Amino acid sequence: MVEATRRALEEDLRSRMDKEKGKMVASYMKTSSLQFLGVSVTEARRITRSHIKELAVDDLPLLIEQLWKQPVFDFKLAAIEVLEKYSAKGDIKTAFIMIDRMVDDVDTWSTVDPLCIVCLANVIIRNPAYEKKIAAWGKSSNFWRRRATVLPYVHLSKKRIYREEFAARALAAVVPHLSDSEFFVAKAVGWVLRELSKREPNLVRSFIEENRENMTKLSIREGSKKL
């Protein structure tokens, strides 16, 4: 069942290949390690959901692994879409192990962001104990992994997800990265603060003022945009 689903899904995505758009996307993503079919993200998500609706939750990890291991950007997005469902409904430990392994394999924000904003957020919403494991990634030399430590709090700060208790957890998550000069990490810190400021403007304003001397200019600028 899983193998048949994978073949049908891949065939469906390839049938919508747009070579010119694929070249444009590849240039924009600034990664040469992947093939780009040029399928829109919205379309890829729709196609993936249509193919997996009959699969049992326990079948999803195998499909995720099969899709992810291929050097095709659109297949990796499909794998993340499947993992989004699994991280919300499947075994939490298995979901976390898969995310942990996949983070080491990313080389572009366009895969690490959907992987860690929603999938990783699903894990810590269901079991906050995993926040300590994620926080430990902050010492990694891999800046994608450091970016991943704060990305789930973008999701937790969104209007339909947000709960008051998430504010302190989001701020605690960004503190270790306030002075990180790596562009993609500083940008993510600012992103969390900007999203949280839509819910808690006074809290974020005070946080930036109190920590301004230790923050990168990029994080301050991005975090202040909605204030």
Side-chain angles (χ1 to χ4, degrees), residues 109-124:
W109 59 267
S110 55
T111 49
V112 76
D113 287 10
L115 174 64
C116 296
I117 290 176
V118 178
C119 299
L120 207 51
N122 285 343
V123 169
I124 63 179

Side-chain angles (χ1 to χ4, degrees), residues 157 162 166-168 170-171 174 178 189-212 215 219-227:
S157 298
Y162 183 71
F166 291 161
L171 294 179
V174 302
L178 294 181
V189 168
W191 190 2
V192 172
L193 294 175
R194 183 172 72 250
E195 193 63 37
L196 182 59
S197 73
K198 299 174 186 177
R199 318 278 88 80
E200 304 284 356
N202 293 333
L203 180 64
V204 173
R205 185 179 291 107
S206 296
F207 179 84
I208 291 176
E209 288 306 313
E210 291 171 6
N211 294 279
R212 183 176 293 274
M215 295 177 67
S219 292
I220 294 172
R221 184 170 66 251
E222 292 295 318
S224 302
K225 280 185 175 180
K226 296 298 180 179
L227 295 176

Side-chain angles (χ1 to χ4, degrees), residues 156-191:
L156 267 59
S157 298
K158 291 180 179 178
K159 185 176 181 179
R160 64 184 179 85
I161 302 292
Y162 183 71
R163 299 200 297 263
E164 189 174 342
E165 67 187 77
F166 291 161
R169 290 160 65 179
L171 294 179
V174 302
V175 165
H177 307 286
L178 294 181
S179 60
D180 195 324
S181 59
E182 165 56 47
F183 174 84
F184 286 104
V185 180
K187 188 85 169 180
V189 168
W191 190 2

